[in-house]
Amino acid sequence: MSITPEKLSATYSTLVERLAKTSTNYKALDEFLKSTAEQASQNPAKFTIAHIPSGLPVSPGIEFDPFEGIAGLVHRLEQPAAKDSCRLIIVENICAQTISLLGERFDIDPQFFADHLNNEPWYRIANVPDRIPALPSTQKYHDFLQLRYIEPRKISSYQDLFHGDQPFVVEAENAEVVGDETLVSDAKSFMKPDEKTTRIPRKAGKLTPRVRKGREFEPLLCTRQVITAWFEKNDDGSVGWTGVILLDPPFKLPAGNLYCEPAGHRSFNRRVSLLDDVQNTPQPTSNHEALVCHLRERFSNCPSLLESAKSDCFLVLGDIYRLVASNWIVINEYVNRELATIEYILEKEEPTFRDLEVYLKDLYIYRRRVTRYHELITQAKEQCTTRGQRSWSHGDTSALSLEHAKDMEADFIYLQDKVLATSRRIEKNIDLLTALVSIGEGKQALDENRALAKLSLLATVFLPFSTVATIFSIQGGYGPGEDMFWMFWAIAIPLTALVLALSVLYYGIGVSILKRMVSSLVSKKAWKILG
């Protein structure tokens, strides 16, 4: 009897419901599985099943079967898998029915789906129980792993170049108004995706580049992407495996007047030949399409590589790690461009004290972000060192598999060095800005002291007049209009001149004499000490 989406067994959902009652780790997954009705209006889940057939190298090649909707997945899972074959199921924009079907069909650990659904902030800790990581001693027994990274995408006003992405109204969030000027810190604001296109709405940080020498750069979306991979050896003991890879859909923005460009990173495809029809080759618009494109290019008509992939499933993930590493390089370069802009402004211009404070605050935010980037890169590097999880199919390790793992590890070691260099550059700029802010505060204090000195001088000038006027206010002939009123001016003016003269002597001659006396005393004391 065939299985239909409407008749999916509730066994897996029931298991998750029981787990959610004992652990908050599964609460979000349980709520997601119960939100089937709310997900009906969203875009369907997209699938691609990559199949490595048996009988290599007699019939080389890797087969790809793309489709949409849960009905197609049910139909394909009903077909029995061939012996000694490998099957990779790539899922984009996963839905509740897909989780129930795959989880029950392959007996997948619910933590695999729970980790992918986890949408806690990367930088701010809110719900502590929902983000407690597993201990290393238990992680090595998992049959899944996760990659988290930043995918940078520009915001532009040109629609026709970017595959018809939906426009978006940019709102200045967390803007600070100082006088008539609105100051927006580049790292404070964020944007949410269009929740009609994605079931797991992950926020994107918004970076507003600073103007440098009259040149303006386009704003940048730092979208948070998650890739989760699960693999299992064939149950019948034959060579081969089954894998599931969960991907986020492309970040789309709600309707407005600006557009989100596709992710931009340097291609790691093979060298282009003169015989290639580059113009008619469609460019991938999502990580799903990019992964399929790279797998097809790397494994097509290569029996030795496919034979190694059948016994080592980590070899298939190589394109995913390259995709992640390429995005890390891009976001690191964007951060360095911002640092170069701040350095250029400090070198060529005269920023105000308020500007220095804003730059310093932004550098603190960049330092926090780059520290997090280094942590995620280190996690990916460790995964390459261990070649995935211990329970995965590694078989007889070939020289090709070992070389591939070392290449992936070397890529992330290179990224670690790049990010550490960026971190050191941020620290140097923070030290410089801290010193400049201190100097600015000192200058501001001097300006305030000068203003107070002027007020004190003004009070000094009027002090004799007020004193003499007070004395002459005594009843008699010293008031205005009386015969003795001239004495007020005769006494007040010389007294004022005397006060000013004493002030000049004190701040001029008196201070110099005092310095000479102190230096003389110090020198005499020094000679006595020296003998």
Coordinates of all heavy atoms in Angstrom, one line a residue, residues 257-320:
N257 N 11.1 49.0 -2.5 CA 11.7 49.7 -3.6 C 13.1 49.3 -3.9 O 13.7 49.9 -4.8 CB 11.5 51.2 -3.5 CG 12.2 51.7 -2.2 OD1 12.8 50.9 -1.5 ND2 12.2 53.0 -1.9
L258 N 13.7 48.4 -3.2 CA 15.1 47.9 -3.5 C 15.1 46.4 -3.6 O 14.2 45.7 -3.2 CB 16.0 48.4 -2.3 CG 16.3 49.9 -2.3 CD1 17.2 50.2 -1.1 CD2 16.9 50.4 -3.5
Y259 N 16.2 45.9 -4.2 CA 16.3 44.5 -4.5 C 17.6 43.9 -3.9 O 18.5 44.6 -3.7 CB 16.3 44.3 -6.0 CG 15.1 44.9 -6.7 CD1 15.1 46.2 -7.1 CD2 14.0 44.1 -6.9 CE1 14.0 46.8 -7.7 CE2 12.9 44.6 -7.5 CZ 12.9 46.0 -7.9 OH 11.8 46.5 -8.5
C260 N 17.5 42.6 -3.7 CA 18.6 41.9 -3.0 C 19.3 41.1 -4.1 O 18.7 40.2 -4.8 CB 18.0 40.9 -2.0 SG 19.3 40.1 -1.0
E261 N 20.6 41.4 -4.3 CA 21.3 40.7 -5.4 C 21.7 39.2 -4.9 O 21.6 38.9 -3.8 CB 22.7 41.4 -5.6 CG 22.5 42.8 -6.2 CD 23.8 43.4 -6.6 OE1 24.8 42.6 -6.7 OE2 23.9 44.6 -6.7
P262 N 22.0 38.4 -5.9 CA 22.4 37.0 -5.5 C 23.7 37.1 -4.8 O 24.5 38.1 -4.8 CB 22.6 36.3 -6.9 CG 21.9 37.2 -7.9 CD 21.9 38.6 -7.3
A263 N 24.0 36.0 -4.1 CA 25.3 35.9 -3.3 C 26.5 36.0 -4.3 O 26.4 35.4 -5.3 CB 25.3 34.6 -2.5
G264 N 27.5 36.7 -3.9 CA 28.6 36.9 -4.8 C 29.9 36.3 -4.1 O 30.3 36.8 -3.1
H265 N 30.5 35.3 -4.7 CA 31.7 34.8 -4.3 C 32.5 34.2 -5.5 O 31.9 33.9 -6.5 CB 31.5 33.6 -3.2 CG 30.6 32.5 -3.7 ND1 31.1 31.5 -4.5 CD2 29.3 32.3 -3.5 CE1 30.1 30.7 -4.7 NE2 29.0 31.1 -4.2
R266 N 33.8 34.1 -5.3 CA 34.6 33.6 -6.4 C 34.3 32.1 -6.7 O 34.3 31.3 -5.8 CB 36.1 33.8 -6.0 CG 37.0 33.4 -7.2 CD 38.4 33.9 -6.9 NE 39.3 33.5 -8.0 CZ 40.6 34.0 -8.1 NH1 41.0 34.8 -7.2 NH2 41.4 33.6 -9.1
S267 N 34.1 31.9 -8.0 CA 33.8 30.5 -8.4 C 35.0 29.6 -8.2 O 36.1 30.0 -8.4 CB 33.3 30.5 -9.8 OG 33.1 29.2 -10.3
F268 N 34.7 28.4 -7.8 CA 35.8 27.4 -7.6 C 35.6 26.2 -8.6 O 36.0 25.1 -8.4 CB 35.9 26.8 -6.2 CG 34.5 26.4 -5.6 CD1 34.1 25.2 -5.8 CD2 33.8 27.3 -4.9 CE1 32.9 24.8 -5.2 CE2 32.6 27.0 -4.3 CZ 32.1 25.7 -4.5
N269 N 34.9 26.5 -9.7 CA 34.7 25.5 -10.8 C 36.1 25.2 -11.5 O 37.1 25.9 -11.3 CB 33.7 26.0 -11.8 CG 32.3 26.1 -11.2 OD1 32.0 25.4 -10.2 ND2 31.5 26.9 -11.8
R270 N 36.0 24.2 -12.3 CA 37.2 23.9 -13.1 C 37.6 25.1 -14.1 O 36.7 26.0 -14.3 CB 37.0 22.7 -13.9 CG 35.9 22.8 -14.9 CD 35.7 21.5 -15.8 NE 34.6 21.6 -16.6 CZ 34.6 22.3 -17.8 NH1 35.6 22.9 -18.2 NH2 33.5 22.3 -18.6
R271 N 38.7 25.0 -14.6 CA 39.1 26.1 -15.6 C 38.2 26.1 -16.8 O 37.9 25.0 -17.4 CB 40.6 25.8 -16.0 CG 41.1 26.9 -17.0 CD 42.5 26.5 -17.4 NE 43.0 27.4 -18.4 CZ 42.8 27.3 -19.7 NH1 42.1 26.3 -20.2 NH2 43.4 28.2 -20.6
V272 N 37.8 27.3 -17.2 CA 36.9 27.4 -18.3 C 37.6 27.1 -19.6 O 38.8 27.6 -19.8 CB 36.2 28.8 -18.4 CG1 35.3 29.0 -19.6 CG2 35.5 29.1 -17.1
S273 N 37.0 26.4 -20.5 CA 37.6 26.0 -21.8 C 37.1 26.9 -22.9 O 36.0 27.5 -22.8 CB 37.4 24.6 -22.1 OG 37.8 24.3 -23.4
L274 N 37.8 27.0 -24.0 CA 37.3 27.8 -25.1 C 36.1 27.2 -25.8 O 35.3 27.8 -26.5 CB 38.5 27.9 -26.2 CG 39.7 28.8 -25.8 CD1 40.7 28.7 -26.9 CD2 39.3 30.2 -25.6
L275 N 35.9 25.9 -25.5 CA 34.8 25.2 -26.1 C 33.5 25.3 -25.3 O 32.4 24.9 -25.7 CB 35.1 23.7 -26.2 CG 36.3 23.3 -27.1 CD1 36.6 21.8 -27.1 CD2 36.2 23.9 -28.5
D276 N 33.6 25.9 -24.1 CA 32.5 26.0 -23.2 C 31.6 27.2 -23.7 O 32.1 28.3 -24.1 CB 32.9 26.3 -21.7 CG 33.6 25.1 -21.1 OD1 33.3 24.0 -21.6 OD2 34.3 25.3 -20.2
D277 N 30.3 27.0 -23.7 CA 29.3 28.0 -24.0 C 28.9 28.7 -22.7 O 27.9 28.4 -22.1 CB 28.1 27.4 -24.7 CG 27.2 28.4 -25.3 OD1 27.5 29.7 -25.1 OD2 26.1 28.1 -25.8
V278 N 29.8 29.7 -22.3 CA 29.5 30.3 -21.0 C 28.3 31.2 -21.0 O 27.6 31.2 -20.0 CB 30.8 31.2 -20.7 CG1 30.6 31.9 -19.3 CG2 32.0 30.3 -20.6
Q279 N 28.0 31.8 -22.1 CA 26.9 32.7 -22.2 C 25.5 32.0 -22.0 O 24.6 32.5 -21.3 CB 26.8 33.4 -23.5 CG 25.7 34.5 -23.7 CD 25.8 35.3 -25.0 OE1 26.7 35.0 -25.8 NE2 24.9 36.2 -25.2
N280 N 25.4 30.8 -22.5 CA 24.1 30.0 -22.3 C 24.1 29.1 -21.1 O 23.2 28.4 -20.9 CB 23.9 29.2 -23.6 CG 23.7 30.1 -24.8 OD1 23.1 31.2 -24.7 ND2 24.1 29.6 -26.0
T281 N 25.1 29.2 -20.3 CA 25.2 28.4 -19.0 C 24.5 29.2 -17.9 O 24.9 30.2 -17.5 CB 26.6 28.1 -18.6 OG1 27.3 27.4 -19.7 CG2 26.6 27.2 -17.4
P282 N 23.4 28.7 -17.4 CA 22.7 29.4 -16.4 C 23.5 29.4 -15.1 O 24.1 28.5 -14.7 CB 21.4 28.6 -16.2 CG 21.7 27.2 -16.7 CD 22.7 27.4 -17.8
Q283 N 23.5 30.6 -14.4 CA 24.2 30.8 -13.2 C 23.3 30.4 -12.0 O 22.2 30.7 -12.0 CB 24.7 32.2 -13.0 CG 25.6 32.7 -14.1 CD 26.9 31.9 -14.1 OE1 27.5 31.6 -13.0 NE2 27.4 31.5 -15.3
P284 N 23.9 29.6 -11.0 CA 23.1 29.2 -9.9 C 22.6 30.4 -9.1 O 23.3 31.4 -8.9 CB 24.1 28.4 -9.0 CG 25.2 28.0 -10.0 CD 25.3 29.1 -11.0
T285 N 21.3 30.4 -8.7 CA 20.7 31.4 -7.9 C 20.5 31.1 -6.5 O 20.0 31.9 -5.7 CB 19.3 31.8 -8.6 OG1 18.5 30.7 -8.5 CG2 19.5 32.3 -10.0
S286 N 20.9 29.9 -6.1 CA 20.7 29.5 -4.7 C 21.9 28.5 -4.4 O 22.5 27.9 -5.3 CB 19.4 28.8 -4.5 OG 19.3 27.6 -5.2
N287 N 22.1 28.2 -3.1 CA 23.1 27.3 -2.7 C 22.7 25.9 -3.1 O 23.6 25.0 -3.4 CB 23.3 27.3 -1.2 CG 23.9 28.6 -0.7 OD1 24.7 29.2 -1.4 ND2 23.6 29.0 0.5
H288 N 21.4 25.6 -3.2 CA 20.9 24.3 -3.7 C 21.4 24.1 -5.1 O 22.0 23.0 -5.5 CB 19.4 24.3 -3.6 CG 18.8 23.0 -4.0 ND1 17.5 22.7 -3.7 CD2 19.3 21.9 -4.6 CE1 17.2 21.5 -4.2 NE2 18.3 20.9 -4.7
E289 N 21.1 25.1 -6.0 CA 21.6 24.9 -7.4 C 23.1 24.9 -7.6 O 23.6 24.2 -8.4 CB 21.0 26.1 -8.2 CG 19.4 26.1 -8.3 CD 18.9 27.2 -9.1 OE1 19.7 28.0 -9.7 OE2 17.7 27.4 -9.2
A290 N 23.8 25.7 -6.7 CA 25.2 25.7 -6.8 C 25.8 24.4 -6.4 O 26.8 23.9 -7.1 CB 25.8 26.8 -5.9
L291 N 25.3 23.8 -5.4 CA 25.8 22.5 -5.0 C 25.6 21.4 -6.0 O 26.5 20.6 -6.3 CB 25.1 22.0 -3.7 CG 25.5 20.7 -3.1 CD1 26.9 20.5 -2.9 CD2 24.7 20.4 -1.8
V292 N 24.4 21.4 -6.6 CA 24.1 20.4 -7.7 C 25.0 20.6 -8.9 O 25.5 19.7 -9.5 CB 22.6 20.5 -8.1 CG1 22.3 19.6 -9.3 CG2 21.7 20.0 -6.9
C293 N 25.2 21.9 -9.2 CA 26.1 22.2 -10.4 C 27.5 21.7 -10.1 O 28.1 21.1 -11.0 CB 26.0 23.7 -10.6 SG 27.1 24.3 -11.9
H294 N 28.0 22.0 -8.9 CA 29.4 21.6 -8.6 C 29.5 20.0 -8.6 O 30.5 19.5 -9.0 CB 29.9 22.2 -7.3 CG 29.9 23.7 -7.4 ND1 30.5 24.3 -8.4 CD2 29.5 24.6 -6.5 CE1 30.5 25.6 -8.2 NE2 29.9 25.9 -7.1
L295 N 28.5 19.4 -8.0 CA 28.6 17.9 -7.9 C 28.6 17.3 -9.3 O 29.3 16.4 -9.6 CB 27.4 17.4 -7.1 CG 27.5 17.6 -5.6 CD1 26.2 17.1 -4.9 CD2 28.6 16.8 -5.0
R296 N 27.7 17.9 -10.2 CA 27.6 17.3 -11.6 C 29.0 17.6 -12.3 O 29.4 16.7 -13.0 CB 26.5 18.0 -12.3 CG 26.4 17.6 -13.8 CD 25.3 18.3 -14.5 NE 24.0 17.9 -14.0 CZ 23.1 18.6 -13.3 NH1 23.5 19.8 -13.0 NH2 21.9 18.1 -13.0
E297 N 29.6 18.7 -12.1 CA 30.8 19.0 -12.8 C 32.0 18.2 -12.3 O 32.8 17.7 -13.1 CB 31.1 20.5 -12.7 CG 32.4 20.9 -13.4 CD 32.6 22.4 -13.3 OE1 31.8 23.2 -13.9 OE2 33.6 22.8 -12.7
R298 N 32.0 17.9 -11.0 CA 33.2 17.2 -10.4 C 33.1 15.7 -10.6 O 34.1 15.1 -10.7 CB 33.3 17.6 -8.9 CG 34.6 17.2 -8.3 CD 34.9 18.1 -7.1 NE 34.0 17.9 -6.0 CZ 34.2 17.0 -5.0 NH1 35.3 16.4 -4.9 NH2 33.3 16.9 -4.0
F299 N 31.9 15.2 -10.6 CA 31.8 13.7 -10.6 C 31.4 13.1 -11.9 O 31.4 11.9 -12.1 CB 30.7 13.3 -9.5 CG 31.2 13.4 -8.1 CD1 30.8 14.5 -7.3 CD2 32.0 12.4 -7.6 CE1 31.3 14.6 -6.0 CE2 32.5 12.5 -6.3 CZ 32.1 13.6 -5.5
S300 N 31.0 14.0 -12.8 CA 30.6 13.4 -14.1 C 31.7 12.8 -14.9 O 32.8 13.4 -15.0 CB 29.9 14.5 -15.0 OG 28.7 15.0 -14.5
N301 N 31.5 11.6 -15.3 CA 32.6 10.9 -16.1 C 33.9 10.8 -15.4 O 35.0 11.0 -16.1 CB 32.7 11.6 -17.5 CG 31.4 11.6 -18.3 OD1 30.7 10.6 -18.3 ND2 31.2 12.7 -18.9
C302 N 33.9 10.5 -14.1 CA 35.1 10.4 -13.4 C 34.9 9.1 -12.5 O 34.6 9.2 -11.3 CB 35.4 11.6 -12.5 SG 37.0 11.5 -11.7
P303 N 35.1 7.9 -13.0 CA 34.9 6.7 -12.3 C 35.7 6.6 -11.0 O 35.2 6.1 -10.0 CB 35.3 5.6 -13.3 CG 35.2 6.2 -14.6 CD 35.6 7.7 -14.4
S304 N 37.0 7.0 -11.0 CA 37.8 6.8 -9.8 C 37.3 7.7 -8.7 O 37.2 7.3 -7.5 CB 39.2 7.2 -10.1 OG 39.3 8.5 -10.6
L305 N 36.8 8.9 -9.0 CA 36.3 9.8 -7.9 C 35.0 9.3 -7.4 O 34.7 9.3 -6.2 CB 36.1 11.2 -8.5 CG 35.9 12.3 -7.5 CD1 37.1 12.5 -6.6 CD2 35.7 13.7 -8.2
L306 N 34.1 8.8 -8.3 CA 32.8 8.2 -7.8 C 33.0 7.0 -7.0 O 32.3 6.8 -6.0 CB 32.0 7.9 -9.1 CG 31.3 9.1 -9.7 CD1 30.6 8.7 -11.0 CD2 30.3 9.7 -8.7
E307 N 34.0 6.2 -7.4 CA 34.3 4.9 -6.6 C 34.8 5.3 -5.2 O 34.4 4.6 -4.2 CB 35.3 4.1 -7.3 CG 35.5 2.7 -6.7 CD 34.3 1.8 -6.9 OE1 33.5 2.1 -7.8 OE2 34.1 1.0 -6.0
S308 N 35.6 6.3 -5.1 CA 36.0 6.8 -3.7 C 34.9 7.4 -2.9 O 34.8 7.2 -1.7 CB 37.1 7.8 -3.9 OG 38.3 7.3 -4.5
A309 N 34.0 8.1 -3.6 CA 32.8 8.7 -2.9 C 31.9 7.6 -2.4 O 31.2 7.9 -1.4 CB 32.1 9.6 -3.9
K310 N 31.8 6.5 -3.0 CA 30.9 5.4 -2.5 C 31.3 4.9 -1.2 O 30.5 4.5 -0.4 CB 30.9 4.3 -3.6 CG 30.1 4.6 -4.8 CD 30.1 3.4 -5.8 CE 29.4 2.2 -5.2 NZ 29.3 1.1 -6.1
S311 N 32.6 4.9 -0.9 CA 33.1 4.4 0.4 C 33.5 5.5 1.4 O 33.7 5.2 2.5 CB 34.4 3.6 0.1 OG 35.4 4.3 -0.5
D312 N 33.4 6.8 0.9 CA 33.8 7.9 1.8 C 32.8 9.0 1.5 O 33.0 9.8 0.5 CB 35.2 8.4 1.6 CG 35.6 9.4 2.6 OD1 34.8 9.8 3.4 OD2 36.8 9.9 2.5
C313 N 31.7 9.1 2.3 CA 30.7 10.1 2.0 C 31.2 11.6 2.2 O 30.6 12.5 1.7 CB 29.5 9.9 2.8 SG 29.8 9.8 4.6
F314 N 32.3 11.8 3.0 CA 32.8 13.1 3.2 C 33.3 13.7 1.9 O 33.3 14.9 1.7 CB 33.9 13.1 4.2 CG 34.4 14.5 4.6 CD1 33.7 15.3 5.4 CD2 35.6 14.9 4.1 CE1 34.2 16.6 5.7 CE2 36.1 16.2 4.4 CZ 35.4 17.0 5.2
L315 N 33.7 12.9 0.9 CA 34.1 13.4 -0.3 C 33.1 14.1 -1.1 O 33.3 15.1 -1.8 CB 34.6 12.2 -1.2 CG 35.5 12.5 -2.4 CD1 36.8 13.2 -2.0 CD2 35.8 11.2 -3.2
V316 N 31.8 13.8 -0.8 CA 30.7 14.5 -1.5 C 30.5 15.9 -0.9 O 30.0 16.8 -1.6 CB 29.4 13.6 -1.3 CG1 28.2 14.3 -2.0 CG2 29.6 12.2 -1.9
L317 N 30.9 16.1 0.4 CA 30.7 17.3 1.0 C 31.7 18.4 0.7 O 31.7 19.5 1.1 CB 30.6 17.2 2.5 CG 29.5 16.4 3.1 CD1 29.6 16.3 4.6 CD2 28.2 17.0 2.8
G318 N 32.7 18.0 -0.1 CA 33.8 18.9 -0.5 C 33.3 20.2 -1.1 O 33.8 21.3 -0.8
D319 N 32.3 20.1 -2.0 CA 31.8 21.3 -2.6 C 31.0 22.2 -1.6 O 31.1 23.4 -1.8 CB 30.8 20.9 -3.8 CG 31.6 20.2 -4.9 OD1 32.6 20.8 -5.3 OD2 31.2 19.2 -5.3
I320 N 30.4 21.6 -0.6 CA 29.8 22.4 0.4 C 30.8 23.2 1.2 O 30.6 24.4 1.5 CB 28.9 21.5 1.3 CG1 27.7 21.0 0.6 CG2 28.5 22.3 2.6 CD1 26.8 20.1 1.4

